[in-house]
Amino acid sequence: MEFKLPQEVVDIINGISSMQIRGASKIAEAGIKALSIVAKNSKAESPEGVFEELDYVSQKLLATRPTAVSLPNAVRYVMFEVYKAKENGLKTEEVKTKALDACREFLRRIREASIRIGEIGARRINDGDTIMTHCHSTAALNVIKTAHRMGKNIKVIVTETRPLYQGLITAEELEKSGIPFTLIIDSAARFLMKKVDKVIVGADAVAANGAVVNKIGTSIIALAAYESRALVFVAAETYKFSPETLTGELVKIEERAPEEVAPASVFKRWKYGSIRNPAFDVTPPEYIDLIITERGIIPPQAAFTIIRDELKDMPYEFQMKYSTYWERSLEV
Ligand code: RUB
């Protein structure tokens, strides 16, 4: 069934796919906002109707970008609450209320997790530490900002993060917070690693074996840190752990347009050449010292237990229905 989505929801869907809205937690937040707008404006006259409308927007949201697991986890949480309400015989308006309550609850979880990660992670930062970070991660930055607020004297090395330069967003935030930083090109990461005590990055997904999917280049930085005996910390809310990886799927790595890497006027002339532009890569658990979650610090090998707790009583088919593993049409 097709529905006419409110313009604000269409804008969110387009905003995520065009990366105006970006970063795993911001993407989840925007997805939840879209679901709550649909629930609020729903004209459905049956519990099934409410479920179908929300399912429709969920599928569109899941078509936007495939890698940040925060989005399917957020969608799945809300849809499971709506599904249970419908199955338990609640009335139409009550199902809508359940949907809105679930949206509010997940938003609260996003906000609280972010603050808690800052507090927990900051305790592991020492006075005088030099920290390298990659891309722009709200969670990683919260650790750095909280450590700074605690009075720890820290310096940050920020990679520019080609091709879209999200490192500049990080640099601007550090500037506003009065935290000393140095911006470097991505390929200078190993050259400067000897000055680094800790690498702190965010995550788009954490797999059941503790591997971390994050912005392309993260795995090279982790490798250089390992070689140089600098510690690697990943700041990741528990809603970034991927239940799909427990049931055999791999996290899908988004490949973006070649125009982000080189001008079309150049590569369109090439007879022999092509461009690849993977947006994320996978850092194996061996190169990660710890993952900072809002429930505490865990070794990457404990990722499985977080995922198992998240899934609890969710039916397998339901879990699969809201996985980004499946191809969907983005057309709205
Ligand atoms: C962003 C990125 C971030 C994670 C975590 O990639 O890789 O490190 O999403 O971010 P993109 P946060 O810019 O392609 O979305 O901690 O803010 O959720």
Side-chain angles (χ1 to χ4, degrees), residues 146-182:
T146 311
H148 174 73
R149 272 200 301 272
M150 285 164 82
K152 295 186 185 182
N153 175 23
I154 49 176
K155 284 198 221 96
V156 185
I157 298 180
V158 182
T159 53
E160 62 180 359
T161 319
R162 263 205 35 96
L164 296 182
Y165 301 98
Q166 290 94 326
L168 293 182
I169 310 175
T170 300
E172 288 293 328
E173 268 197 50
L174 292 169
E175 173 66 28
K176 271 196 209 113
S177 307
I179 302 172
F181 66 93
T182 307

PDB file of all heavy atoms in Angstrom, residues 146-182:
ATOM      1  N   THR A 146      33.790  15.989  27.511  1.00  0.00           N
ATOM      2  CA  THR A 146      33.584  15.765  28.949  1.00  0.00           C
ATOM      3  C   THR A 146      34.931  15.746  29.672  1.00  0.00           C
ATOM      4  O   THR A 146      35.079  16.331  30.753  1.00  0.00           O
ATOM      5  CB  THR A 146      32.802  14.449  29.205  1.00  0.00           C
ATOM      6  OG1 THR A 146      31.661  14.437  28.364  1.00  0.00           O
ATOM      7  CG2 THR A 146      32.369  14.314  30.651  1.00  0.00           C
ATOM      8  N   ALA A 147      35.934  15.085  29.062  1.00  0.00           N
ATOM      9  CA  ALA A 147      37.275  15.044  29.685  1.00  0.00           C
ATOM     10  C   ALA A 147      37.805  16.477  29.835  1.00  0.00           C
ATOM     11  O   ALA A 147      38.377  16.838  30.872  1.00  0.00           O
ATOM     12  CB  ALA A 147      38.214  14.206  28.837  1.00  0.00           C
ATOM     13  N   HIS A 148      37.578  17.294  28.813  1.00  0.00           N
ATOM     14  CA  HIS A 148      38.025  18.695  28.852  1.00  0.00           C
ATOM     15  C   HIS A 148      37.299  19.454  29.972  1.00  0.00           C
ATOM     16  O   HIS A 148      37.928  20.184  30.752  1.00  0.00           O
ATOM     17  CB  HIS A 148      37.755  19.338  27.484  1.00  0.00           C
ATOM     18  CG  HIS A 148      38.034  20.796  27.430  1.00  0.00           C
ATOM     19  ND1 HIS A 148      39.321  21.311  27.429  1.00  0.00           N
ATOM     20  CD2 HIS A 148      37.195  21.872  27.385  1.00  0.00           C
ATOM     21  CE1 HIS A 148      39.254  22.629  27.372  1.00  0.00           C
ATOM     22  NE2 HIS A 148      37.978  22.993  27.353  1.00  0.00           N
ATOM     23  N   ARG A 149      35.997  19.224  30.068  1.00  0.00           N
ATOM     24  CA  ARG A 149      35.218  19.905  31.126  1.00  0.00           C
ATOM     25  C   ARG A 149      35.672  19.467  32.520  1.00  0.00           C
ATOM     26  O   ARG A 149      35.588  20.224  33.479  1.00  0.00           O
ATOM     27  CB  ARG A 149      33.720  19.581  30.962  1.00  0.00           C
ATOM     28  CG  ARG A 149      33.016  20.561  30.027  1.00  0.00           C
ATOM     29  CD  ARG A 149      31.512  20.551  30.257  1.00  0.00           C
ATOM     30  NE  ARG A 149      30.947  19.235  30.049  1.00  0.00           N
ATOM     31  CZ  ARG A 149      30.528  18.775  28.873  1.00  0.00           C
ATOM     32  NH1 ARG A 149      30.581  19.547  27.807  1.00  0.00           N
ATOM     33  NH2 ARG A 149      30.020  17.572  28.766  1.00  0.00           N
ATOM     34  N   MET A 150      36.158  18.220  32.619  1.00  0.00           N
ATOM     35  CA  MET A 150      36.650  17.721  33.913  1.00  0.00           C
ATOM     36  C   MET A 150      37.995  18.343  34.263  1.00  0.00           C
ATOM     37  O   MET A 150      38.578  18.047  35.304  1.00  0.00           O
ATOM     38  CB  MET A 150      36.802  16.190  33.857  1.00  0.00           C
ATOM     39  CG  MET A 150      35.491  15.445  33.912  1.00  0.00           C
ATOM     40  SD  MET A 150      35.679  13.714  33.382  1.00  0.00           S
ATOM     41  CE  MET A 150      36.278  12.960  34.847  1.00  0.00           C
ATOM     42  N   GLY A 151      38.513  19.183  33.359  1.00  0.00           N
ATOM     43  CA  GLY A 151      39.774  19.884  33.633  1.00  0.00           C
ATOM     44  C   GLY A 151      41.003  19.148  33.126  1.00  0.00           C
ATOM     45  O   GLY A 151      42.129  19.529  33.444  1.00  0.00           O
ATOM     46  N   LYS A 152      40.784  18.070  32.353  1.00  0.00           N
ATOM     47  CA  LYS A 152      41.956  17.346  31.841  1.00  0.00           C
ATOM     48  C   LYS A 152      42.538  18.120  30.664  1.00  0.00           C
ATOM     49  O   LYS A 152      41.801  18.584  29.785  1.00  0.00           O
ATOM     50  CB  LYS A 152      41.550  15.927  31.429  1.00  0.00           C
ATOM     51  CG  LYS A 152      41.095  15.134  32.636  1.00  0.00           C
ATOM     52  CD  LYS A 152      40.812  13.698  32.355  1.00  0.00           C
ATOM     53  CE  LYS A 152      40.260  13.070  33.629  1.00  0.00           C
ATOM     54  NZ  LYS A 152      39.970  11.657  33.538  1.00  0.00           N
ATOM     55  N   ASN A 153      43.850  18.177  30.705  1.00  0.00           N
ATOM     56  CA  ASN A 153      44.547  18.950  29.681  1.00  0.00           C
ATOM     57  C   ASN A 153      44.809  18.017  28.492  1.00  0.00           C
ATOM     58  O   ASN A 153      45.666  17.156  28.556  1.00  0.00           O
ATOM     59  CB  ASN A 153      45.843  19.445  30.360  1.00  0.00           C
ATOM     60  CG  ASN A 153      46.735  20.171  29.410  1.00  0.00           C
ATOM     61  OD1 ASN A 153      46.285  20.688  28.378  1.00  0.00           O
ATOM     62  ND2 ASN A 153      48.017  20.193  29.734  1.00  0.00           N
ATOM     63  N   ILE A 154      44.006  18.155  27.420  1.00  0.00           N
ATOM     64  CA  ILE A 154      44.143  17.217  26.297  1.00  0.00           C
ATOM     65  C   ILE A 154      44.336  17.973  24.983  1.00  0.00           C
ATOM     66  O   ILE A 154      43.936  19.134  24.855  1.00  0.00           O
ATOM     67  CB  ILE A 154      42.898  16.296  26.170  1.00  0.00           C
ATOM     68  CG1 ILE A 154      41.595  17.121  26.209  1.00  0.00           C
ATOM     69  CG2 ILE A 154      42.890  15.225  27.234  1.00  0.00           C
ATOM     70  CD1 ILE A 154      40.347  16.300  25.988  1.00  0.00           C
ATOM     71  N   LYS A 155      44.926  17.236  24.031  1.00  0.00           N
ATOM     72  CA  LYS A 155      45.093  17.788  22.680  1.00  0.00           C
ATOM     73  C   LYS A 155      44.469  16.783  21.730  1.00  0.00           C
ATOM     74  O   LYS A 155      44.524  15.578  21.967  1.00  0.00           O
ATOM     75  CB  LYS A 155      46.577  17.893  22.329  1.00  0.00           C
ATOM     76  CG  LYS A 155      47.279  19.037  22.990  1.00  0.00           C
ATOM     77  CD  LYS A 155      48.585  19.298  22.226  1.00  0.00           C
ATOM     78  CE  LYS A 155      49.734  19.600  23.163  1.00  0.00           C
ATOM     79  NZ  LYS A 155      50.623  18.627  23.562  1.00  0.00           N
ATOM     80  N   VAL A 156      43.923  17.280  20.637  1.00  0.00           N
ATOM     81  CA  VAL A 156      43.252  16.371  19.710  1.00  0.00           C
ATOM     82  C   VAL A 156      43.861  16.507  18.316  1.00  0.00           C
ATOM     83  O   VAL A 156      44.138  17.617  17.848  1.00  0.00           O
ATOM     84  CB  VAL A 156      41.723  16.657  19.651  1.00  0.00           C
ATOM     85  CG1 VAL A 156      41.010  15.629  18.771  1.00  0.00           C
ATOM     86  CG2 VAL A 156      41.114  16.667  21.048  1.00  0.00           C
ATOM     87  N   ILE A 157      44.069  15.370  17.673  1.00  0.00           N
ATOM     88  CA  ILE A 157      44.472  15.373  16.260  1.00  0.00           C
ATOM     89  C   ILE A 157      43.258  14.910  15.468  1.00  0.00           C
ATOM     90  O   ILE A 157      42.680  13.852  15.753  1.00  0.00           O
ATOM     91  CB  ILE A 157      45.694  14.446  16.024  1.00  0.00           C
ATOM     92  CG1 ILE A 157      46.890  14.973  16.831  1.00  0.00           C
ATOM     93  CG2 ILE A 157      46.020  14.362  14.531  1.00  0.00           C
ATOM     94  CD1 ILE A 157      48.163  14.142  16.694  1.00  0.00           C
ATOM     95  N   VAL A 158      42.856  15.715  14.507  1.00  0.00           N
ATOM     96  CA  VAL A 158      41.624  15.455  13.747  1.00  0.00           C
ATOM     97  C   VAL A 158      41.978  15.171  12.289  1.00  0.00           C
ATOM     98  O   VAL A 158      42.633  16.000  11.643  1.00  0.00           O
ATOM     99  CB  VAL A 158      40.695  16.698  13.791  1.00  0.00           C
ATOM    100  CG1 VAL A 158      39.387  16.439  13.060  1.00  0.00           C
ATOM    101  CG2 VAL A 158      40.437  17.142  15.215  1.00  0.00           C
ATOM    102  N   THR A 159      41.546  14.045  11.776  1.00  0.00           N
ATOM    103  CA  THR A 159      41.780  13.753  10.351  1.00  0.00           C
ATOM    104  C   THR A 159      40.704  14.452   9.524  1.00  0.00           C
ATOM    105  O   THR A 159      39.537  14.508   9.933  1.00  0.00           O
ATOM    106  CB  THR A 159      41.673  12.239  10.099  1.00  0.00           C
ATOM    107  OG1 THR A 159      40.428  11.798  10.626  1.00  0.00           O
ATOM    108  CG2 THR A 159      42.804  11.487  10.762  1.00  0.00           C
ATOM    109  N   GLU A 160      41.054  14.929   8.348  1.00  0.00           N
ATOM    110  CA  GLU A 160      40.056  15.705   7.586  1.00  0.00           C
ATOM    111  C   GLU A 160      38.898  14.834   7.081  1.00  0.00           C
ATOM    112  O   GLU A 160      37.785  15.294   6.910  1.00  0.00           O
ATOM    113  CB  GLU A 160      40.710  16.469   6.427  1.00  0.00           C
ATOM    114  CG  GLU A 160      41.360  15.578   5.418  1.00  0.00           C
ATOM    115  CD  GLU A 160      42.009  16.361   4.281  1.00  0.00           C
ATOM    116  OE1 GLU A 160      41.942  17.597   4.252  1.00  0.00           O
ATOM    117  OE2 GLU A 160      42.599  15.699   3.415  1.00  0.00           O
ATOM    118  N   THR A 161      39.173  13.544   6.845  1.00  0.00           N
ATOM    119  CA  THR A 161      38.132  12.584   6.443  1.00  0.00           C
ATOM    120  C   THR A 161      37.600  12.846   5.039  1.00  0.00           C
ATOM    121  O   THR A 161      36.473  13.290   4.844  1.00  0.00           O
ATOM    122  CB  THR A 161      36.963  12.512   7.479  1.00  0.00           C
ATOM    123  OG1 THR A 161      37.486  12.536   8.802  1.00  0.00           O
ATOM    124  CG2 THR A 161      36.127  11.267   7.263  1.00  0.00           C
ATOM    125  N   ARG A 162      38.446  12.545   4.091  1.00  0.00           N
ATOM    126  CA  ARG A 162      38.027  12.600   2.695  1.00  0.00           C
ATOM    127  C   ARG A 162      37.033  11.485   2.414  1.00  0.00           C
ATOM    128  O   ARG A 162      37.080  10.475   3.094  1.00  0.00           O
ATOM    129  CB  ARG A 162      39.277  12.454   1.787  1.00  0.00           C
ATOM    130  CG  ARG A 162      39.743  13.850   1.365  1.00  0.00           C
ATOM    131  CD  ARG A 162      40.524  13.960   0.086  1.00  0.00           C
ATOM    132  NE  ARG A 162      40.226  13.100  -1.015  1.00  0.00           N
ATOM    133  CZ  ARG A 162      39.430  13.425  -2.035  1.00  0.00           C
ATOM    134  NH1 ARG A 162      38.819  14.585  -2.057  1.00  0.00           N
ATOM    135  NH2 ARG A 162      39.263  12.585  -3.009  1.00  0.00           N
ATOM    136  N   PRO A 163      36.141  11.592   1.443  1.00  0.00           N
ATOM    137  CA  PRO A 163      36.031  12.714   0.518  1.00  0.00           C
ATOM    138  C   PRO A 163      35.109  13.849   0.974  1.00  0.00           C
ATOM    139  O   PRO A 163      35.106  14.903   0.367  1.00  0.00           O
ATOM    140  CB  PRO A 163      35.435  12.050  -0.730  1.00  0.00           C
ATOM    141  CG  PRO A 163      34.606  10.930  -0.213  1.00  0.00           C
ATOM    142  CD  PRO A 163      35.314  10.432   1.025  1.00  0.00           C
ATOM    143  N   LEU A 164      34.343  13.664   2.075  1.00  0.00           N
ATOM    144  CA  LEU A 164      33.358  14.702   2.399  1.00  0.00           C
ATOM    145  C   LEU A 164      33.778  15.607   3.560  1.00  0.00           C
ATOM    146  O   LEU A 164      33.026  16.464   3.979  1.00  0.00           O
ATOM    147  CB  LEU A 164      31.982  14.070   2.660  1.00  0.00           C
ATOM    148  CG  LEU A 164      31.366  13.374   1.435  1.00  0.00           C
ATOM    149  CD1 LEU A 164      29.979  12.813   1.759  1.00  0.00           C
ATOM    150  CD2 LEU A 164      31.257  14.317   0.231  1.00  0.00           C
ATOM    151  N   TYR A 165      34.978  15.402   4.079  1.00  0.00           N
ATOM    152  CA  TYR A 165      35.574  16.321   5.067  1.00  0.00           C
ATOM    153  C   TYR A 165      34.761  16.512   6.356  1.00  0.00           C
ATOM    154  O   TYR A 165      34.673  17.615   6.869  1.00  0.00           O
ATOM    155  CB  TYR A 165      35.841  17.693   4.417  1.00  0.00           C
ATOM    156  CG  TYR A 165      36.762  17.609   3.234  1.00  0.00           C
ATOM    157  CD1 TYR A 165      36.263  17.584   1.935  1.00  0.00           C
ATOM    158  CD2 TYR A 165      38.134  17.529   3.411  1.00  0.00           C
ATOM    159  CE1 TYR A 165      37.105  17.481   0.831  1.00  0.00           C
ATOM    160  CE2 TYR A 165      38.983  17.420   2.322  1.00  0.00           C
ATOM    161  CZ  TYR A 165      38.458  17.401   1.045  1.00  0.00           C
ATOM    162  OH  TYR A 165      39.297  17.290  -0.017  1.00  0.00           O
ATOM    163  N   GLN A 166      34.211  15.397   6.869  1.00  0.00           N
ATOM    164  CA  GLN A 166      33.486  15.547   8.145  1.00  0.00           C
ATOM    165  C   GLN A 166      34.435  15.942   9.283  1.00  0.00           C
ATOM    166  O   GLN A 166      33.990  16.421  10.326  1.00  0.00           O
ATOM    167  CB  GLN A 166      32.787  14.232   8.534  1.00  0.00           C
ATOM    168  CG  GLN A 166      31.605  13.870   7.667  1.00  0.00           C
ATOM    169  CD  GLN A 166      32.031  12.940   6.544  1.00  0.00           C
ATOM    170  OE1 GLN A 166      33.140  13.047   6.027  1.00  0.00           O
ATOM    171  NE2 GLN A 166      31.158  12.044   6.139  1.00  0.00           N
ATOM    172  N   GLY A 167      35.752  15.767   9.079  1.00  0.00           N
ATOM    173  CA  GLY A 167      36.723  16.182  10.096  1.00  0.00           C
ATOM    174  C   GLY A 167      36.639  17.681  10.362  1.00  0.00           C
ATOM    175  O   GLY A 167      36.925  18.138  11.470  1.00  0.00           O
ATOM    176  N   LEU A 168      36.209  18.432   9.356  1.00  0.00           N
ATOM    177  CA  LEU A 168      36.080  19.886   9.558  1.00  0.00           C
ATOM    178  C   LEU A 168      34.948  20.203  10.534  1.00  0.00           C
ATOM    179  O   LEU A 168      35.008  21.192  11.270  1.00  0.00           O
ATOM    180  CB  LEU A 168      35.838  20.596   8.217  1.00  0.00           C
ATOM    181  CG  LEU A 168      37.007  20.552   7.228  1.00  0.00           C
ATOM    182  CD1 LEU A 168      36.670  21.320   5.965  1.00  0.00           C
ATOM    183  CD2 LEU A 168      38.275  21.137   7.866  1.00  0.00           C
ATOM    184  N   ILE A 169      33.909  19.373  10.539  1.00  0.00           N
ATOM    185  CA  ILE A 169      32.808  19.576  11.506  1.00  0.00           C
ATOM    186  C   ILE A 169      33.365  19.350  12.918  1.00  0.00           C
ATOM    187  O   ILE A 169      33.101  20.112  13.847  1.00  0.00           O
ATOM    188  CB  ILE A 169      31.631  18.599  11.248  1.00  0.00           C
ATOM    189  CG1 ILE A 169      31.202  18.596   9.781  1.00  0.00           C
ATOM    190  CG2 ILE A 169      30.450  18.938  12.160  1.00  0.00           C
ATOM    191  CD1 ILE A 169      30.134  17.554   9.448  1.00  0.00           C
ATOM    192  N   THR A 170      34.171  18.285  13.060  1.00  0.00           N
ATOM    193  CA  THR A 170      34.795  17.996  14.360  1.00  0.00           C
ATOM    194  C   THR A 170      35.692  19.165  14.776  1.00  0.00           C
ATOM    195  O   THR A 170      35.634  19.631  15.924  1.00  0.00           O
ATOM    196  CB  THR A 170      35.631  16.696  14.261  1.00  0.00           C
ATOM    197  OG1 THR A 170      34.747  15.636  13.887  1.00  0.00           O
ATOM    198  CG2 THR A 170      36.321  16.359  15.565  1.00  0.00           C
ATOM    199  N   ALA A 171      36.496  19.658  13.829  1.00  0.00           N
ATOM    200  CA  ALA A 171      37.409  20.766  14.134  1.00  0.00           C
ATOM    201  C   ALA A 171      36.628  21.989  14.628  1.00  0.00           C
ATOM    202  O   ALA A 171      37.004  22.617  15.628  1.00  0.00           O
ATOM    203  CB  ALA A 171      38.228  21.107  12.888  1.00  0.00           C
ATOM    204  N   GLU A 172      35.533  22.302  13.935  1.00  0.00           N
ATOM    205  CA  GLU A 172      34.716  23.464  14.338  1.00  0.00           C
ATOM    206  C   GLU A 172      34.172  23.288  15.755  1.00  0.00           C
ATOM    207  O   GLU A 172      34.130  24.222  16.548  1.00  0.00           O
ATOM    208  CB  GLU A 172      33.546  23.661  13.360  1.00  0.00           C
ATOM    209  CG  GLU A 172      33.961  24.192  11.990  1.00  0.00           C
ATOM    210  CD  GLU A 172      34.489  25.627  12.056  1.00  0.00           C
ATOM    211  OE1 GLU A 172      34.025  26.401  12.913  1.00  0.00           O
ATOM    212  OE2 GLU A 172      35.391  25.956  11.255  1.00  0.00           O
ATOM    213  N   GLU A 173      33.721  22.067  16.062  1.00  0.00           N
ATOM    214  CA  GLU A 173      33.164  21.812  17.411  1.00  0.00           C
ATOM    215  C   GLU A 173      34.234  21.948  18.483  1.00  0.00           C
ATOM    216  O   GLU A 173      33.978  22.475  19.564  1.00  0.00           O
ATOM    217  CB  GLU A 173      32.554  20.407  17.473  1.00  0.00           C
ATOM    218  CG  GLU A 173      31.082  20.418  17.119  1.00  0.00           C
ATOM    219  CD  GLU A 173      30.349  19.163  17.561  1.00  0.00           C
ATOM    220  OE1 GLU A 173      30.467  18.755  18.731  1.00  0.00           O
ATOM    221  OE2 GLU A 173      29.674  18.587  16.693  1.00  0.00           O
ATOM    222  N   LEU A 174      35.439  21.469  18.173  1.00  0.00           N
ATOM    223  CA  LEU A 174      36.534  21.572  19.158  1.00  0.00           C
ATOM    224  C   LEU A 174      36.899  23.031  19.358  1.00  0.00           C
ATOM    225  O   LEU A 174      37.149  23.483  20.481  1.00  0.00           O
ATOM    226  CB  LEU A 174      37.746  20.760  18.691  1.00  0.00           C
ATOM    227  CG  LEU A 174      37.550  19.238  18.688  1.00  0.00           C
ATOM    228  CD1 LEU A 174      38.688  18.540  17.954  1.00  0.00           C
ATOM    229  CD2 LEU A 174      37.437  18.699  20.121  1.00  0.00           C
ATOM    230  N   GLU A 175      36.911  23.772  18.267  1.00  0.00           N
ATOM    231  CA  GLU A 175      37.207  25.203  18.327  1.00  0.00           C
ATOM    232  C   GLU A 175      36.208  25.901  19.259  1.00  0.00           C
ATOM    233  O   GLU A 175      36.590  26.653  20.155  1.00  0.00           O
ATOM    234  CB  GLU A 175      37.143  25.788  16.904  1.00  0.00           C
ATOM    235  CG  GLU A 175      37.270  27.302  16.789  1.00  0.00           C
ATOM    236  CD  GLU A 175      38.653  27.820  17.197  1.00  0.00           C
ATOM    237  OE1 GLU A 175      39.626  27.061  17.051  1.00  0.00           O
ATOM    238  OE2 GLU A 175      38.722  28.973  17.672  1.00  0.00           O
ATOM    239  N   LYS A 176      34.907  25.592  19.055  1.00  0.00           N
ATOM    240  CA  LYS A 176      33.861  26.212  19.897  1.00  0.00           C
ATOM    241  C   LYS A 176      34.028  25.837  21.364  1.00  0.00           C
ATOM    242  O   LYS A 176      33.705  26.622  22.250  1.00  0.00           O
ATOM    243  CB  LYS A 176      32.481  25.739  19.422  1.00  0.00           C
ATOM    244  CG  LYS A 176      31.907  26.631  18.347  1.00  0.00           C
ATOM    245  CD  LYS A 176      30.413  26.405  18.173  1.00  0.00           C
ATOM    246  CE  LYS A 176      30.021  26.698  16.738  1.00  0.00           C
ATOM    247  NZ  LYS A 176      29.586  25.551  15.988  1.00  0.00           N
ATOM    248  N   SER A 177      34.507  24.625  21.618  1.00  0.00           N
ATOM    249  CA  SER A 177      34.647  24.162  23.006  1.00  0.00           C
ATOM    250  C   SER A 177      35.974  24.580  23.624  1.00  0.00           C
ATOM    251  O   SER A 177      36.253  24.261  24.789  1.00  0.00           O
ATOM    252  CB  SER A 177      34.548  22.635  23.069  1.00  0.00           C
ATOM    253  OG  SER A 177      33.386  22.194  22.446  1.00  0.00           O
ATOM    254  N   GLY A 178      36.819  25.238  22.841  1.00  0.00           N
ATOM    255  CA  GLY A 178      38.113  25.699  23.383  1.00  0.00           C
ATOM    256  C   GLY A 178      39.088  24.560  23.634  1.00  0.00           C
ATOM    257  O   GLY A 178      39.909  24.621  24.559  1.00  0.00           O
ATOM    258  N   ILE A 179      39.000  23.506  22.841  1.00  0.00           N
ATOM    259  CA  ILE A 179      39.916  22.356  23.014  1.00  0.00           C
ATOM    260  C   ILE A 179      40.999  22.430  21.928  1.00  0.00           C
ATOM    261  O   ILE A 179      40.679  22.485  20.739  1.00  0.00           O
ATOM    262  CB  ILE A 179      39.138  21.016  22.913  1.00  0.00           C
ATOM    263  CG1 ILE A 179      38.038  20.975  23.980  1.00  0.00           C
ATOM    264  CG2 ILE A 179      40.089  19.816  23.049  1.00  0.00           C
ATOM    265  CD1 ILE A 179      37.086  19.803  23.873  1.00  0.00           C
ATOM    266  N   PRO A 180      42.275  22.438  22.313  1.00  0.00           N
ATOM    267  CA  PRO A 180      43.335  22.558  21.307  1.00  0.00           C
ATOM    268  C   PRO A 180      43.337  21.362  20.351  1.00  0.00           C
ATOM    269  O   PRO A 180      43.222  20.214  20.787  1.00  0.00           O
ATOM    270  CB  PRO A 180      44.625  22.557  22.136  1.00  0.00           C
ATOM    271  CG  PRO A 180      44.214  22.763  23.544  1.00  0.00           C
ATOM    272  CD  PRO A 180      42.791  22.358  23.682  1.00  0.00           C
ATOM    273  N   PHE A 181      43.453  21.644  19.059  1.00  0.00           N
ATOM    274  CA  PHE A 181      43.432  20.544  18.080  1.00  0.00           C
ATOM    275  C   PHE A 181      44.325  20.873  16.893  1.00  0.00           C
ATOM    276  O   PHE A 181      44.653  22.039  16.632  1.00  0.00           O
ATOM    277  CB  PHE A 181      42.006  20.257  17.588  1.00  0.00           C
ATOM    278  CG  PHE A 181      41.414  21.376  16.790  1.00  0.00           C
ATOM    279  CD1 PHE A 181      41.524  21.388  15.388  1.00  0.00           C
ATOM    280  CD2 PHE A 181      40.756  22.436  17.391  1.00  0.00           C
ATOM    281  CE1 PHE A 181      40.986  22.416  14.640  1.00  0.00           C
ATOM    282  CE2 PHE A 181      40.217  23.475  16.650  1.00  0.00           C
ATOM    283  CZ  PHE A 181      40.341  23.472  15.273  1.00  0.00           C
ATOM    284  N   THR A 182      44.699  19.822  16.183  1.00  0.00           N
ATOM    285  CA  THR A 182      45.458  19.970  14.943  1.00  0.00           C
ATOM    286  C   THR A 182      44.727  19.175  13.865  1.00  0.00           C
ATOM    287  O   THR A 182      44.419  17.994  14.074  1.00  0.00           O
ATOM    288  CB  THR A 182      46.884  19.379  15.103  1.00  0.00           C
ATOM    289  OG1 THR A 182      47.467  19.978  16.252  1.00  0.00           O
ATOM    290  CG2 THR A 182      47.738  19.646  13.885  1.00  0.00           C
TER     291      THR A 182
END
